[in-house]
Amino acid sequence: LPFGVVRPHGDDARVVVRIEDRVLDLAAAGIAPELTARPILNALMASGRGSEVRDQAGELLNGKNFEQFLLDLDDVDVLLPVAVGDYVDFYSSIHHATNLGKIFRPEGEALLPNWRQIPVGYHGRTGTIVVSGTPITRPRGVVTDLLRGNPSCGPSETLDFELEVGFFVGGSTASHIAPDTADAHIFGAVLCNDWSARDIQRFEYQPLGPHLGKSFATTISPWVVTLDALRPYLVRPPKQDPTPASYLRARRPWALDIDLQVTLNDEEITRTNFAGMYWTFAQQLAHITVNGATTRAGDFFASGTVSGPNPGEWGSLIEASWNGTKPLMLMEDVRSFLEDGDTVTLRGWCGDGTKSRPRIGFGEATGTVVPAPEERRD
Amino acid sequence: LPFGVVRPHGDDARVVVRIEDRVLDLAAAGIAPELTARPILNALMASGRGSEVRDQAGELLNGKNFEQFLLDLDDVDVLLPVAVGDYVDFYSSIHHATNLGKIFRPEGEALLPNWRQIPVGYHGRTGTIVVSGTPITRPRGVVTDLLRGNPSCGPSETLDFELEVGFFVGGSTASHIAPDTADAHIFGAVLCNDWSARDIQRFEYQPLGPHLGKSFATTISPWVVTLDALRPYLVRPPKQDPTPASYLRARRPWALDIDLQVTLNDEEITRTNFAGMYWTFAQQLAHITVNGATTRAGDFFASGTVSGPNPGEWGSLIEASWNGTKPLMLMEDVRSFLEDGDTVTLRGWCGDGTKSRPRIGFGEATGTVVPAPEERRD
């Protein structure tokens, strides 16, 4: 029963839980209407009552009188569910970071000295986080002409996706969060596509990091799966060497066993699992707040690109095509980077449907690339 | 008549304009109460009616019946005036960027290849933007031990300030903003101290830029000076070489002649002017939106550290003490970086008080450093 926000046609937006192809209108059913008759999840996230509301919805659905509170997904618009406060994007797959290090610094160590010490991350743009299905306009920006080396402004020629899992903060404002208390501060998780213009990013990123190469759009799946629902899939993360600083050490297992898939125009190009991430979401939250920075309900942070050790498990085209040097062979096509009209869809799920491991679906985060606008003429 | 938000003791917060040591309660005076009887400026910013409201306040104050709508500043709490959407921090003083290049890369070119092509910037944390007067807790974080080179977690030993001017976006959501239309998208300006922990920043910033070295706190002055009020002080910026890409070119003059001062424990340590910035706020706004990223009323962007060409005009201690190698000699003290108990105050003003150049004050952005908390023990 993931949470989302929908707008029934001709009516006000409100908080719902999803059951297969329908949604339960919580406020109509009298479940916490002070939190659910809203166009956004933030109040529910801040209240700390997410589990209670989900339990009440579950009880109602185990009874008999609920049909009148269900709406078909066809009869509603599915909206961006959260007003995002701050968004931090991490870089926490050792396979992804190693691949990018090999591509960009073939002569040096693939991993920079800080990578195994701290979960490296940066702030992204919250105003361009969009819900699954929103078209993605190819960004323009200043890129380096590879032939002549001169910078010029034009549409990105190396548009890419990044397969990520993102986490929404809930509960009270907090700082100095210990990893083993992360569950008290996380509301739930979604899939996240951190669209990336590699050429824009490459020209701009020294010394202050990515900006316009990322800020044009980030797509999330609309259904927030609560951390409570994910508890059966918490597993032990890979061993960390060296042992990180004490503020990053956890006793409890905080990796998540989530199967992940990417399709490009309906063809599977990536299949991997979230459990192999080097830094866990609990460590990421501890890191965000170690300097005293406070969190707010509705803050969002994403894992960084999820890549496994082998080709076919890599969560971006820059890895899958090795920066365009080994184009990806599709059934009827070839791709180094995304072309206009391409549709990228992320999917994720936990469990195999057995009793001890019920299947939990994250739904989809999908987006189709549309052409860059013409250059502005003043 | 700058705008701000105050909470009269025992009453609700509302939008006011400031007149010397008093504020005019706009809603009480019947001026746009639908926009001004709010605890935040965002609705006024989005409405596009800032100038109209300011003019109405001016008319009232030119008449006779206004005393009953004035409140003494002593009788109100002055609040953070805006719910910030996204915050981009730039790096647009050529003197500051050159100084930092010389300090960190003494063997190479001081300016990186992208610096003269685009206004380099990155997203900062909005949830830790605080109003002038808020104590600044020294951040903890992972820093490199200079003697042994081992990373360890502790309080920053190189806490710094950065003198900046910040701009609030107003009006409708927009992208692809041309520099010469920037005034339609900017509500006003404040002073901004981008507190920085140099040791944390140095360890973390490759390859994704500053994060925890900056995210613990950013102080702004509480009074938003509208761009309309600043129009008489728009001047031509320094010549740019090379000519930037067309989306960054402006015909109108967008530099701002603002005198700026920094005091450390009431002793002036920096005196400079904002007009010398290489990249203007109009170009910065064009840059933020060139990739299609949208703005929202309440978005904020800051200039980057304002430094002039000469010592005494540098807007950070890392420059003024040349990274601690030439400690700053104060009247009764010596400083390389900030110590607990230090108070840093930014002040700014336009004009000399003559009829053609009336004085406009920005007020203060001040903060006092308090010690880092003890390490968390689980």
Side-chain angles (χ1 to χ4, degrees), chain B residues 139-163:
Chain B
R140 300 178 64 84
V142 175
V143 301
T144 303
D145 181 315
L146 290 178
L147 289 177
R148 291 162 300 181
N150 295 325
S152 63
C153 185
S156 170
E157 294 180 353
T158 52
L159 183 61
D160 201 354
F161 69 87
E162 291 190 344
L163 166 65

Side-chain angles (χ1 to χ4, degrees), chain A residues 85-86 88 91 112 114 117-118 120-128 139-140 142 151 153 176-179 203-212 215-216 245-247 287-288 290-291 293-296 299 373 375-376 378, chain B residues 85-86 88 91 112 114 117-118 120-128 139-140 142 151 153 176-179 203-212 215-216 245-247 287-288 290-291 293-296 299 373 375-376 378:
Chain A
D86 274 299
V88 175
Y91 185 56
L112 292 172
N114 58 17
Q117 302 285 348
I118 56 173
V120 172
Y122 69 105
H123 282 91
R125 190 167 188 82
T126 63
T128 51
R140 301 177 64 84
V142 174
C153 185
H176 297 283
I177 297 173
F203 185 67
E204 75 184 353
Y205 88 104
Q206 289 283 11
L208 300 183
H211 180 194
L212 295 161
S215 67
F216 55 99
S246 61
Y247 78 91
H287 190 61
I288 288 172
V290 67
N291 67 347
T294 45
T295 58
R296 294 173 291 179
D299 282 350
E375 189 176 7
R376 198 191 62 222
D378 297 324
Chain B
D86 274 298
V88 176
Y91 186 57
L112 292 172
N114 57 16
Q117 302 285 349
I118 56 174
V120 172
Y122 68 104
H123 282 91
R125 190 166 188 83
T126 64
T128 50
R140 300 178 64 84
V142 175
C153 185
H176 296 284
I177 296 173
F203 185 68
E204 75 184 353
Y205 88 104
Q206 290 283 11
L208 300 183
H211 179 193
L212 294 162
S215 68
F216 55 98
S246 61
Y247 79 91
H287 189 62
I288 288 171
V290 66
N291 66 347
T294 45
T295 58
R296 295 172 291 178
D299 282 350
E375 189 175 8
R376 199 192 61 223
D378 297 325

Side-chain angles (χ1 to χ4, degrees), chain B residues 13 15 27 31-32 41 45 91 112 121 128 170 237 297 368:
Chain B
V15 173
I31 298 176
L41 284 175
M45 289 174 154
Y91 186 57
L112 292 172
T128 50
T368 298

Side-chain angles (χ1 to χ4, degrees), chain B residues 107-335:
Chain B
E107 71 294 344
E109 285 287 318
L111 291 181
L112 292 172
N114 57 16
W115 199 90
R116 286 173 180 271
Q117 302 285 349
I118 56 174
V120 172
Y122 68 104
H123 282 91
R125 190 166 188 83
T126 64
T128 50
I129 295 176
V130 297
V131 73
S132 179
T134 306
I136 303 302
T137 303
R138 180 180 298 275
R140 300 178 64 84
V142 175
V143 301
T144 303
D145 181 315
L146 290 178
L147 289 177
R148 291 162 300 181
N150 295 325
S152 63
C153 185
S156 170
E157 294 180 353
T158 52
L159 183 61
D160 201 354
F161 69 87
E162 291 190 344
L163 166 65
E164 306 197 14
V165 176
F167 295 85
F168 281 107
V169 172
S172 309
T173 294
S175 68
H176 296 284
I177 296 173
D180 281 330
T181 67
D183 46 351
H185 301 277
I186 296 292
F187 181 84
V190 293
L191 304 174
C192 175
N193 183 344
D194 177 30
W195 303 94
S196 299
R198 303 296 177 192
D199 39 8
I200 297 173
Q201 183 181 349
R202 190 175 313 129
F203 185 68
E204 75 184 353
Y205 88 104
Q206 290 283 11
L208 300 183
H211 179 193
L212 294 162
K214 303 278 194 173
S215 68
F216 55 98
T218 304
T219 298
I220 65 169
S221 55
W223 303 104
V224 185
V225 180
T226 64
L227 190 57
D228 275 345
L230 294 171
R231 277 183 203 280
Y233 307 100
L234 286 167
V235 295
R236 201 151 284 287
K239 185 170 162 48
Q240 295 183 319
D241 180 21
T243 302
S246 61
Y247 79 91
L248 292 167
R249 287 178 215 152
R251 293 186 194 91
R252 298 170 60 189
W254 292 111
L256 273 166
D257 181 5
I258 306 173
D259 283 306
L260 296 169
Q261 180 203 51
V262 183
T263 60
L264 173 56
N265 301 332
D266 294 326
E267 182 175 346
E268 179 177 287
I269 58 170
T270 300
R271 189 72 173 265
T272 187
N273 189 289
F274 192 57
M277 297 296 280
Y278 189 88
W279 296 102
T280 67
F281 71 88
Q283 292 176 310
Q284 290 169 339
L285 185 59
H287 189 62
I288 288 171
T289 60
V290 66
N291 66 347
T294 45
T295 58
R296 295 172 291 178
D299 282 350
F300 182 63
F301 61 97
S303 60
T305 306
V306 185
S307 290
N310 305 307
E313 300 171 350
W314 295 344
S316 66
L317 280 175
I318 194 172
E319 295 168 88
S321 76
W322 210 253
N323 200 24
T325 61
K326 298 175 183 174
L328 194 65
M329 307 309 288
L330 303 174
M331 281 187 293
E332 298 186 346
D333 222 333
V334 176
R335 281 291 180 285

Side-chain angles (χ1 to χ4, degrees), chain A residues 92 94-95 235-241 255 274-280 283:
Chain A
S92 290
I94 199 166
H95 308 297
V235 296
R236 200 151 285 286
K239 183 169 163 50
Q240 296 183 318
D241 181 21
F274 191 57
M277 297 296 280
Y278 189 87
W279 296 103
T280 66
Q283 292 176 310

